[in-house]
Structure formats: structure tokens, C-alpha cells
Amino acid sequence: MIQKSSGSGRRILTCPAIHPCDSISPSTLLNSLIDLGGDICSYKSKVFSVNKRNARETFRQIANILLFLQEIRDTTSDLPHPVILSLSELHLTFQKIRCLLEDCTRDGTRAWMLVSSDWAANQFRIVIRGLATGLDVFPLSTVDMSNEAKDLVELIIRQVRKASFDPDPDDKKAVKDLMRIMNHFEEGIAPDPIEIRRILEHLGIDKWSSCNKEVKFLDSEIGTEFSNEENKTKLELLCSLMGFMSYCRCVIFDTVDFESQHLNGQCSNISKDLKGINVDDLKCPISLEMMSDPVTLSSGHTYDRCSILKWFRSGNATCPKTGEKLTSTELVPNLVLKGLIQQYCAENGIPVVVSRGKNRDISRTVMAGSSAGEGAMKMLAGFLINKLVNGSGEEMNKAAFEIRVLTKTSIFNRSCLVESGTIPHLLKLLLSEDSNTQENSIAALLNLSKHSKGKCVIVENEGLDLIVHVLRKGLKIEAQQHAAATLYYLASVEENRVLIGENPEAIPGLVELVKNENHHCKRNALVAIFGLLVHPENHWRLLASGVVPLLLNLLRDSEREDLVTDSLAILATLAEKIDGTVAILRRGALQLLVGILDTCTSRTGKEYCVSMLLALCVNGGLDVVARLVKIPSLMGSLYSQLSEGTSRASKKASAIIKILHQFYENNSSSASVTPVLPREQFVHVW
């Protein structure tokens, strides 16, 4: 009956308590209540950074009530039905107490619980009063128990009604100090490190990783509250707190403890949760793509939210998988599956799919969110530049790492660090002989290259050659893959695509990286190559680098759908030109492409496959068409794209079908076959 509340499935400062059902037996309810009370008492061993005194009083009262409940269970075998009202009220209150205690002890929420300490103290007062209410209606005369137990109940009722449950004085002082520091940030005044350490000590935040958990929690809360325009005050407070904790993480803690995976090249183990997982279970049965927001229907089957909503809007009221008529169209978020999908994407180098709602959009971070948050970040930028210029080797490495972390998810942080002049100093560190410093610097530059001005500053400071140097000769494979990704973002600017293509080491370096066994390297190199193909002059450079046979081998050997899709995208673009068609056909790719079209589960991959086949038909001549018409499975795959493929895939599949039909008609009326291309450009397929 008891369900342990989950920190990942319940928002902080919420108490999703429910009344036990009316038909429950008194003995079952009593046993559940005693178990729940024991669960509450287990929180005694946890650290309370705020509301310590109120928590102690709560534990004392729960322990007394448990004595009373246990005597009832030991002395009364057949409980009368009237006790259900009292036990149900107590059960509801116990649930709320457990949620409150969980929030007070949860890692990463200490700063927010501190500024919410008044609210939490009031909640302690409310739930304890709820205990008195539940005991008040208990029919003591109907239960066989000792007089001592009855006296204990009356004592508990008197005590909980007298208890004040005010905020702790130490909490009040810490909040006051915290607000003063955030005012300093607004005014551009550097706070006293001693005062900051005193607040952190009160909260029990004594290392970098603990501080980082606070930042992550605040960021997730800001994302959730972003679309709530009615509570701007709360959003500003969250943003101010995040600025404060980010400042503390960089300035107060000199070392990054083990939780970090990047500062000293430490690697995390692959999660045991993902071992043996079937990737198809992470995909939506409708779109066949990885789900971003999985929801479960009343039929028990799970779909991506956007796909099932389209299904419903089309007038369907059945489960797409079973055809079963749904008793309800309610969508229940599948948080466990969502977590597994995000974990799988993170550990396999797949861009993490997120919901499209405003609260998940990184564009919300274009502003700091509060004056204090803005001031903290600007002050922090100056601190980090000083470390990059004047710090020791270890301090430079940490500064680069902190910039890497700060720029990962915030547009404002990127803008602030670009404007403050961090890029030239990070570029110099790319020549560092320390592998960790080089990796952190190129990773920081990768994030800064996502900013429009950051791209210009990197190129203006001759950063392109340095990034290509890391691509070719990086001290760690991780640095090389970050360099490839940086080139991808730089290539979003037309002038940069030209400059990258003209660098004699850039394209060969990317092609060489595709050969690496590391999946992240392959993926980053492929997307960078695809970005460079927007510039026509880079086509022949890529063909000269030998990329075509490499990609075709990857299509044959790779079991990773994302790598197959990226390879198809590059080959389809190359096939649009005659020399690209020649290079692809000389490798006997037709049968391979038709096989991929038959088996590929990605709609995007199928689209690129159809695009390439059409380009090969148009540029390769009638000999290509003659080979295609002999492949029995092709026509069925093309017809399926007319109804199941993307709009572009459908149009191109229709064009191929038309070409194949014309070939049948022409071939039946004439024995000669005239190629579309002049004879010197005709390609024989073998």
C-alpha cells in the first residue's frame, strides 16, 4: 500500500498525499500506518540543513504515536470499523510529513529550502496539527488498550497543539546574509568570501559536486517555472540563487571532486540500467523515432506525446498498437522510460531529445533572469579571465573547465563570457601540453562557438588553425571529437565554410576521425562534414579525401542508426553532382542502398536513401535504372514511402517510380538504350 516517494517523480515542496480507500480493512490500514511511521523515523539519520528543530519535534511526536499504534496492533485482534476515519486521517498526514522530510534532506535542494524555510516551518505546523485532528476522532472507548496508552494519546494531542514550529533562528540569519550577498551582486560589489563560506557551512555544502547539484536543481526548477508568468517573483529568486551557487562553485571551491567526469579525464561507467535494453522499446510505435516525451495510455502502451496527440486530433479514439477502443484519452507521463531514454542518448552520443515546450527551451536562458544572477555571472567572468591569464597550470585547467560547464546550457553565460574576452585565452590553451587542459579548453570553445558572436571572435583570433591542430593532433580522442563539433558550428557561417575547406588539414582530419572506433568521434566528424557540403567547392575536396568508400563501408558494417542516417545524408548530397554519382556507383552501392531502404527504421534515413537513389537515376543514366528495375523489393519500398515517408521522401519516391515505369515503356518499344549523360560521362554499374 505504501509507495516510497521518488525524488525524481515529485516536485519539491509538493505533497501528493491520498486518502486510503473506504473499503480498506482496519488492520491493513493500521499495519500500513505503522510501516509509514517507521519510514518517517528513518529520516532521523539524514542531514537537515534547515528546520532542524522542527524536524526533531516531529520525530518525537511520530515516535509517541507509533507506540500507541503498536499497542493497538498487539492487543486488539479485531479492530472496529469506526477507527478507519482516524487512521485514514493519520495516514494522510503521515504521507505529507514524509514528503516534507524528504524535501528537507534531499541533495541539491538546500539553497532553495533555505529561502523557503518560513514556508517549510508553516508546513510542519500544519501537518502536526493534522496529527491532533486524526487522534481527536479516534474512538478510544471501542478499543481494548491500557490506560497509559490512552493518557499518551491525550498528551500527544496537547503537545502538538502547543508546539510553535517557528523557523529556526539560524535559518533566518542565513537567509538574511544570503539576501545581502545577492544585493551586492546587483550593485556590482564583490561579496566577502568569509560570509559566503558561512552560508555554505550552514547548508552543509562543502565540496564542488554538492554545489553543482544545487545549480542543476535550480536550473531544472527555472525550466519548469519559465512558462508560469504568474509567479515572476519566484522565477527571479531561483535565477538569483542559481547565480549565487554558480559563483560559489567556481570561486569558493578550488578543486573539483570525483563526481566531475572531465577535469582530470575521469570516465563514468555505463549505467547498469541500460544493459540488455532493446532500443526499439525507446522508440515511438507511431513515428519510429526516439521518444522525447513518452506517455502511457489506458491500454498500457506508450507513445511519444506529440505523435499520439496527432493521432487523437485525426479523430481516432483507439490504441494505435492494438486497435483497442480507449476508455480514456488521458496521457500519463512515463517518467521512468523518459529517464532511460535520456540516459541512453547521453551514453551513446545521441543528441538528447527534449520536450518542445517553452520550459524546456534553452532560449529561455538568453537572459540571466534576475539582476543578481546577471551581476554574479559578470563578476564570475572577470574572475575566470584572471585565472586564465595569471593562474597556475592547475588553475588555468579549472578555469577552462568551469567555462565549459557554465556555457553548456545557458545562452546568457555564453554571451557574457564571449563579451568578457575569454576566447583568445582559451585558444592559447589549445597548445597546452596538458591533455586535460587542452580538452577542457576545446570543449569550452565548442560551447562558445554556438554563440553568433563567438564564431566571429574565434575566427578573427586565428582560432581555426588551432582547432584543426587539435582535430589532427589532439592529445586525447575526446579533444579531437570536440574539435570536430566546433568546426560544425563554425561551418554554419558561409565565410567559415570556405575557410575550413581551404585549410588543407581540415577535411582530411574529419575523414580520418570517421575511421575512429569511438562513436562520438564518428558522429561529430560526420555532422561537420555534412555542414561543410553546403559550400559547393567542398564537394570535390571530400571526394578527393576518399570519403565515399569509407561511408559505404560504414553503411555495410554499422549497426547504429544515427551513423547510418548521417552517412546517408552526406552521400545523398554528394550524389547530387555527377562526380559524386560516379564515385558512389563505382563502389557498387545500388544493392546496398535498396537493402537499407528496406530495413532502415528511421524516416529521415529512408528519406536520404530515396534522395540518393533519385540522384543516381538522374545522373547515372539508363544503365542505373536498368539495374534498379531488376531488384524485386525496390518497388514495394518506394510505394511504402508514398504513404509512410516524409513529404519529401514521398515526392522523390514518386519521381523514381515514374522513371522506372518510363523505362519499362521505352524498353518494351525499343531495343536500344540511350543514356541520359553524354557517353564520356556514362557509368557502367557492376
Side-chain angles (χ1 to χ4, degrees):
M1 179 176 174
I2 296 177
Q3 287 187 343
K4 180 73 175 174
S5 55
S6 169
S8 61
R10 176 180 67 84
R11 287 196 65 198
I12 189 173
L13 303 184
T14 60
C15 300
I18 57 172
H19 271 290
C21 61
D22 294 336
S23 60
I24 191 171
S25 71
S27 59
T28 300
L29 183 54
L30 177 62
N31 288 327
S32 177
L33 190 55
I34 292 173
D35 291 342
L36 188 52
D39 191 18
I40 290 171
C41 290
S42 69
Y43 280 87
K44 284 182 182 180
S45 61
K46 299 193 177 184
V47 177
F48 285 81
S49 59
V50 295
N51 274 286
K52 299 175 184 176
R53 187 176 59 185
N54 293 333
R56 284 196 299 269
E57 178 62 21
T58 300
F59 288 133
R60 191 171 72 85
Q61 299 300 345
I62 293 295
N64 287 336
I65 293 174
L66 281 177
L67 291 174
F68 162 66
L69 296 175
Q70 286 163 351
E71 177 163 335
I72 296 175
R73 182 173 63 180
D74 294 341
T75 60
T76 308
S77 58
D78 188 20
L79 286 170
H81 195 73
V83 303
I84 285 183
L85 175 61
S86 173
L87 296 182
S88 294
E89 189 65 35
L90 288 174
H91 199 283
L92 186 72
T93 303
F94 273 30
Q95 293 175 61
K96 293 178 180 179
I97 290 173
R98 185 177 61 182
C99 288
L100 189 55
L101 295 173
E102 182 183 302
D103 288 342
C104 288
T105 57
R106 191 186 303 185
D107 276 350
T109 67
R110 296 181 180 186
W112 184 240
M113 286 304 300
L114 176 64
V115 297
S116 306
S117 55
D118 283 355
W119 180 92
N122 187 53
Q123 290 303 302
F124 274 111
R125 186 183 302 111
I126 291 171
V127 294
I128 293 300
R129 297 290 187 271
L131 295 178
T133 302
L135 293 172
D136 262 341
V137 296
F138 192 92
L140 293 172
S141 60
T142 64
V143 178
D144 184 19
M145 65 173 62
S146 65
N147 290 329
E148 289 81 0
K150 294 179 181 179
D151 291 340
L152 179 60
V153 172
E154 293 175 358
L155 176 63
I156 294 171
I157 293 173
R158 288 197 302 270
Q159 286 181 340
V160 297
R161 284 179 173 162
K162 287 180 181 179
S164 60
F165 287 95
D166 295 324
D168 285 0
D170 289 344
D171 293 344
K172 284 187 172 183
K173 184 179 184 306
V175 171
K176 186 177 179 181
D177 292 342
L178 177 58
M179 294 303 173
R180 183 171 61 253
I181 289 174
M182 290 198 287
N183 286 335
H184 286 338
F185 284 138
E186 290 184 19
E187 297 164 1
I189 302 172
D192 185 350
I194 295 176
E195 287 192 6
I196 293 179
R197 286 191 175 92
R198 189 161 54 237
I199 294 171
L200 294 177
E201 184 179 353
H202 176 78
L203 294 174
I205 298 173
D206 57 357
K207 53 188 178 181
W208 189 95
S209 60
S210 299
C211 199
N212 192 45
K213 286 179 182 178
E214 299 286 322
V215 175
K216 286 185 175 181
F217 166 76
L218 292 167
D219 184 54
S220 67
E221 284 294 293
I222 291 168
T224 304
E225 292 292 333
F226 183 71
S227 59
N228 184 6
E229 297 181 359
E230 298 177 0
N231 206 346
K232 290 185 178 180
T233 302
K234 180 180 179 182
L235 184 60
E236 287 182 4
L237 181 56
L238 285 164
C239 292
S240 298
L241 270 180
M242 186 170 174
F244 169 76
M245 295 309 303
S246 297
Y247 184 89
C248 293
R249 185 182 63 190
C250 297
V251 176
I252 301 301
F253 299 106
D254 296 329
T255 58
V256 179
D257 51 294
F258 182 72
E259 183 174 308
S260 164
Q261 298 175 12
H262 305 296
L263 185 67
N264 297 312
Q266 297 154 345
C267 298
S268 60
N269 295 324
I270 297 296
S271 171
K272 293 180 180 179
D273 296 338
L274 298 177
K275 287 186 177 179
I277 197 167
N278 186 347
V279 181
D280 290 338
D281 293 337
L282 307 181
K283 296 178 182 178
C284 176
I286 298 175
S287 67
L288 301 181
E289 302 286 356
M290 199 76 77
M291 288 184 278
S292 63
D293 189 7
V295 291
T296 303
L297 302 184
S298 58
S299 63
H301 292 283
T302 300
Y303 303 88
D304 205 9
R305 184 184 294 273
C306 60
S307 297
I308 196 62
L309 286 177
K310 285 180 183 177
W311 172 264
F312 289 153
R313 282 195 291 268
S314 300
N316 301 297
T318 58
C319 174
K321 207 166 185 180
T322 64
E324 170 190 346
K325 187 172 180 60
L326 297 171
T327 57
S328 167
T329 56
E330 180 183 2
L331 306 178
V332 179
N334 193 327
L335 298 176
V336 174
L337 182 58
K338 186 173 185 178
L340 283 175
I341 291 171
Q342 292 177 342
Q343 217 175 330
Y344 178 83
C345 290
E347 294 183 7
N348 290 277
I350 301 171
V352 179
V353 282
V354 295
S355 303
R356 297 177 181 174
K358 288 184 179 179
N359 59 331
R360 305 275 190 222
D361 192 349
I362 191 178
S363 64
R364 66 175 173 79
T365 68
V366 71
M367 302 295 290
S370 71
S371 299
E374 181 178 350
M377 188 58 223
K378 289 180 177 178
M379 208 168 292
L380 184 52
F383 171 84
L384 291 170
I385 285 184
N386 180 57
K387 292 297 182 184
L388 289 175
V389 175
N390 302 314
S392 63
E394 186 177 341
E395 288 174 331
M396 288 181 182
N397 179 32
K398 183 173 184 292
F401 171 73
E402 295 289 1
I403 295 171
R404 174 182 185 173
V405 174
L406 286 166
T407 54
K408 191 173 184 180
T409 56
S410 171
I411 293 175
F412 174 76
N413 290 353
R414 291 173 193 163
S415 176
C416 194
L417 288 161
V418 168
E419 295 289 345
S420 64
T422 57
I423 287 178
H425 304 294
L426 288 169
L427 287 171
K428 291 178 183 178
L429 291 182
L430 295 185
L431 297 175
S432 172
E433 295 181 0
D434 180 76
S435 61
N436 296 316
T437 300
Q438 185 187 66
E439 182 198 350
N440 286 318
S441 299
I442 188 62
L445 287 165
L446 164 59
N447 295 334
L448 291 171
S449 70
K450 299 173 185 178
H451 189 273
S452 56
K453 188 174 179 181
K455 296 178 178 67
C456 299
V457 176
I458 289 173
V459 175
E460 288 169 0
N461 284 272
E462 300 180 353
L464 195 54
D465 289 342
L466 290 169
I467 292 167
V468 173
H469 166 76
V470 176
L471 175 73
R472 293 289 269 168
K473 301 178 180 179
L475 300 174
K476 295 171 69 175
I477 196 64
E478 291 82 4
Q480 291 179 291
Q481 73 186 37
H482 293 318
T486 306
L487 290 179
Y488 165 75
Y489 284 104
L490 293 177
S492 63
V493 178
E494 184 176 355
E495 294 83 355
N496 294 346
R497 287 193 289 271
V498 177
L499 292 173
I500 295 170
E502 291 175 348
N503 186 305
E505 296 291 318
I507 288 177
L510 290 171
V511 172
E512 191 65 28
L513 208 57
V514 176
K515 300 176 183 178
N516 194 281
E517 292 300 319
N518 184 292
H519 167 258
H520 301 290
C521 288
K522 289 181 184 290
R523 188 83 204 281
N524 288 355
L526 289 172
V527 296
I529 290 171
F530 184 67
L532 291 174
L533 278 174
V534 178
H535 178 55
E537 285 296 309
N538 288 331
H539 280 245
W540 67 265
R541 294 187 177 105
L542 275 164
L543 291 174
S545 71
V547 74
V548 169
L550 178 63
L551 295 181
L552 290 174
N553 286 335
L554 198 153
L555 291 180
R556 292 186 182 95
D557 301 334
S558 179
E559 297 179 356
R560 300 194 64 95
E561 187 177 279
D562 53 345
L563 296 181
V564 169
T565 300
D566 291 338
S567 300
L568 288 170
I570 295 170
L571 289 169
T573 306
L574 291 172
E576 292 173 0
K577 295 184 179 293
I578 292 174
D579 52 357
T581 292
V582 171
I584 292 170
L585 290 176
R586 279 179 176 167
R587 294 287 170 173
L590 284 181
Q591 189 70 48
L592 172 64
L593 294 176
V594 174
I596 292 173
L597 184 60
D598 286 341
T599 58
C600 183
T601 58
S602 166
R603 297 177 78 209
T604 305
K606 287 179 180 288
E607 179 186 320
Y608 284 128
C609 208
V610 171
S611 297
M612 196 183 337
L613 287 171
L614 179 58
L616 295 177
C617 286
V618 172
N619 291 337
L622 295 181
D623 194 32
V624 173
V625 181
R627 285 295 302 270
L628 288 177
V629 298
K630 295 178 181 178
I631 303 176
S633 63
L634 176 60
M635 198 61 78
S637 298
L638 291 173
Y639 273 112
S640 71
Q641 287 303 295
L642 297 181
S643 57
E644 300 173 6
T646 65
S647 59
R648 284 178 294 190
S650 176
K651 291 177 182 177
K652 292 181 179 182
S654 178
I656 297 175
I657 291 171
K658 184 177 180 180
I659 290 173
L660 296 178
H661 281 309
Q662 287 177 343
F663 176 84
Y664 277 121
E665 294 172 3
N666 295 337
N667 198 44
S668 61
S669 60
S670 174
S672 62
V673 177
T674 305
V676 175
L677 303 176
R679 182 156 302 275
E680 61 270 16
Q681 292 179 317
F682 183 75
V683 180
H684 180 70
V685 183
W686 62 88

